[in-house]
Amino acid sequence: MKLSALVRGTWKSVWVLCLMVVLAVVVGTGCTSADEGGEDSTADAPVETSKVVLASTTSTQDSGLFDEVIPAFEAAFPEYEVEVVAVGTGAALELGRNADADVLLVHAKASEEEFVAEGYGIERRDVMYNDFVIVGPADDPAGVAEAESAIAALETVADSGEEFVSRGDDSGTHKKELAIWEEAGIEPAGDWYVEAGQGMGDVLTMSSEREAYTMTDRATFLAMQDVLELEMLFEGDEILFNEYGVIPVTDAANAEGAGVFADWITSTEAQDLIGEFGVEEYGEPLFVPNA
């Protein structure tokens, strides 16, 4: 073989070898970059979630509290997605009895304790409280604002024959209202007493349109007052105390998620969030945490 041919062959081999080395370095660098970027890729990947069905009152929904609380829970525990079923407390407890909800957040303590005692709930824990108020038209034709007690306030409505709109839905608010009528020795009935069978927001709207009285939780009324022709006429009676509790359902489909939610809603993080809700807009919290 001539020397020139040998040289050309040698350089060709060297060139091929260099090319292979360069390719190996590029591929290796790419793999390393992929490995180094793996953490970010994993972080961006969607987390597989399981659904937690939360049956709660319309007041927690209509007041806007869940717009703050639920996203915070899902951010803290991205493996869970909360589905809220906003109904009256009686209906929420029934969903729990049928295991159609995983966890309850309701406000009729005696009924809640009975629910747990019957074995449908694992335990009941305090979460927060506020109070009920009696609202009505600004001219207050029944004279509710002059009443010295919640019982007297409802007595004046009944005596006047002015219209009163009741939730009529076995909710916590409805249960409390009926308890006050019972204390007053009055069985409300007649054209003046309207049983709506609706949630708190709808009842407030109906009362406003009809220039009628109703009893509401403070949070929902404050959240809606700008669109209502109603005034807060009576407040402050101890009988109007309104406490909320959380109960994981015994036979929950997502028992783990129910337990995690109950633990979180009673944690310092969630309690602080509840205590801050409404302060900026109304100058006071709409719910007071008491876990």
Side-chain angles (χ1 to χ4, degrees):
M1 180 182 295
K2 293 184 180 180
L3 180 59
S4 59
L6 180 59
V7 171
R8 285 197 302 272
T10 300
W11 278 109
K12 183 176 181 181
S13 299
V14 171
W15 184 85
V16 171
L17 180 60
C18 290
L19 180 60
M20 292 176 65
V21 170
V22 170
L23 288 172
V25 170
V26 170
V27 171
T29 302
C31 291
T32 301
S33 298
D35 291 341
E36 290 175 350
E39 185 177 346
D40 293 335
S41 299
T42 302
D44 294 338
V47 176
E48 185 175 349
T49 61
S50 63
K51 182 171 67 175
V52 178
V53 179
L54 169 63
S56 189
T57 71
T58 59
S59 58
T60 48
Q61 181 88 321
D62 292 343
S63 66
L65 177 67
F66 279 162
D67 293 336
E68 298 288 332
V69 170
I70 299 304
F73 171 75
E74 291 176 338
F77 298 94
E79 64 269 34
Y80 297 115
E81 178 183 358
V82 178
E83 177 184 326
V84 175
V85 181
V87 291
T89 287
L93 291 169
E94 190 61 25
L95 288 171
R97 288 188 180 94
N98 296 329
D100 290 328
D102 299 311
V103 61
L104 313 179
L105 181 59
V106 286
H107 65 140
K109 190 171 183 178
S111 297
E112 296 163 40
E113 291 174 339
E114 181 182 355
F115 178 85
V116 173
E118 291 172 347
Y120 294 109
I122 295 174
E123 63 174 340
R124 179 201 177 278
R125 284 187 266 177
D126 290 340
V127 174
M128 60 191 183
Y129 67 87
N130 60 10
D131 62 344
F132 295 108
V133 297
I134 298 173
V135 301
D139 60 349
D140 188 19
V144 167
E146 303 302 318
E148 296 183 355
S149 68
I151 292 172
L154 292 193
E155 285 176 339
T156 63
V157 176
D159 290 344
S160 70
E162 293 292 330
E163 203 165 67
F164 183 96
V165 180
S166 170
R167 286 279 296 269
D169 63 349
D170 196 35
S171 61
T173 306
H174 185 218
K175 290 175 186 289
K176 177 66 73 172
E177 177 216 317
L178 292 180
I180 298 174
W181 286 120
E182 185 175 359
E183 287 285 333
I186 297 172
E187 186 173 343
D191 293 340
W192 64 275
Y193 188 72
V194 179
E195 296 185 85
Q198 300 291 327
M200 198 69 257
D202 290 335
V203 167
L204 282 167
T205 299
M206 183 184 300
S207 300
S208 180
E209 292 171 348
R210 299 171 75 107
E211 299 183 343
Y213 294 90
T214 192
M215 193 175 82
T216 174
D217 66 284
R218 182 184 297 270
T220 305
F221 177 71
L222 290 177
M224 294 183 62
Q225 63 182 342
D226 290 344
V227 297
L228 300 172
E229 295 294 328
L230 297 171
E231 297 290 333
M232 190 183 300
L233 300 173
F234 185 86
E235 61 180 314
D237 193 325
E238 289 183 3
I239 201 173
L240 297 176
F241 182 69
N242 180 31
E243 188 169 26
Y244 293 77
V246 64
I247 307 172
V249 174
T250 301
D251 295 323
N254 192 342
E256 183 178 350
V260 171
F261 180 83
D263 288 341
W264 181 82
I265 199 71
T266 55
S267 70
T268 300
E269 177 189 353
Q271 292 284 289
D272 288 346
L273 191 63
I274 291 168
E276 294 167 1
F277 177 67
V279 173
E280 183 175 348
E281 185 169 357
Y282 305 107
E284 61 179 299
L286 297 193
F287 300 91
V288 180
N290 70 332

